[in-house]
Amino acid sequence: MGTVLLMTTLTAFAAGPFGGNPPKRSPVSGQDGQLSAADIKKLASVRRATAKYFDVQAATDAGYVAGGPCVPQMGTHYVNMAKIANPSIVPEDPEILLYDGDGHLVGVEYLVLYDGPVPVDTWDGHGSCTTPASLVGPPPGLPGVATAPLLFGSNFDGPMLDHGELAPLGVCHFDFHVWVWRANPLGVTAHQNPLVSCAAELD
């Protein structure tokens, strides 16, 4: 039942007028089986709220800044530090927007800083978190959480070492990718998306 509702909801939004960046609905597979009816409706709400960012210029005008080069199977991360400074998770107001090598919006990412016991091994096995987020800035006392938040039926990934704009801070974070604007055979909430390419940026 949930699978049918998700397909119907995302298909309905894919049919709407989205200008030069036509959306590709995410297929239901893998982690998507954990989505509740409320989650499915919230995904549609996220699509409505982020459609205004199809143009990268609209994202930069709203305070999002490219956090580094395009990451294969993820895209270029446009980070809003003001949103990261607020540890509350608002699905319609993501901390990060994801764009492919052609500049198409492909998904969103939610990010909160890790502020728990240290040292702790990172989620991906690449290093160790050694400094609580509360001890580094700017600004001092940047808020964080000690345990992985839950969204759309799954826990955030992490803790992991920060990347992009946050890398110089040396702090760790939890993050959660949602592929609301690009189909993903691994699932709409998978960490990576093999259908996201950086090819155009690398040409």
Side-chain angles (χ1 to χ4, degrees):
M1 182 68 176
T3 295
V4 173
L5 179 56
L6 177 60
M7 292 291 283
T8 301
T9 302
L10 295 186
T11 300
F13 279 97
F18 292 107
N21 186 28
K24 302 176 181 178
R25 61 174 171 77
S26 299
V28 178
S29 61
Q31 299 176 27
D32 297 344
Q34 303 174 36
L35 295 172
S36 67
D39 291 334
I40 293 167
K41 291 181 180 179
K42 184 61 69 173
L43 282 172
S45 180
V46 171
R47 287 169 64 90
R48 287 193 298 267
T50 58
K52 61 188 175 185
Y53 297 125
F54 282 161
D55 187 337
V56 174
Q57 186 60 52
T60 58
D61 289 347
Y64 290 90
V65 178
C70 186
V71 179
Q73 299 191 41
M74 287 189 184
T76 301
H77 294 62
Y78 277 75
V79 182
N80 191 311
M81 291 297 293
K83 298 183 188 302
I84 290 174
N86 179 357
S88 298
I89 302 299
V90 180
E92 294 84 1
D93 194 26
E95 288 78 17
I96 299 172
L97 301 172
L98 304 169
Y99 293 84
D100 68 7
D102 287 318
H104 294 150
L105 179 65
V106 294
V108 301
E109 180 178 346
Y110 304 95
L111 185 148
V112 293
L113 299 183
Y114 172 74
D115 192 7
V118 291
V120 61
D121 291 336
T122 57
W123 165 81
D124 54 7
H126 297 152
S128 176
C129 300
T130 57
T131 305
S134 61
L135 299 182
V136 297
L142 205 62
V145 299
T147 58
L150 180 71
L151 185 65
F152 298 130
S154 297
N155 287 318
F156 276 42
D157 297 320
M160 66 186 77
L161 294 174
D162 284 311
H163 49 70
E165 277 202 354
L166 301 177
L169 301 182
V171 299
C172 283
H173 71 274
F174 296 101
D175 69 28
F176 191 74
H177 297 76
V178 183
W179 305 100
V180 289
W181 292 112
R182 176 61 52 86
N184 187 356
L186 303 181
V188 71
T189 61
H191 190 68
Q192 295 180 309
N193 187 341
L195 300 185
V196 172
S197 173
C198 297
E201 183 173 289
L202 297 177
D203 287 343

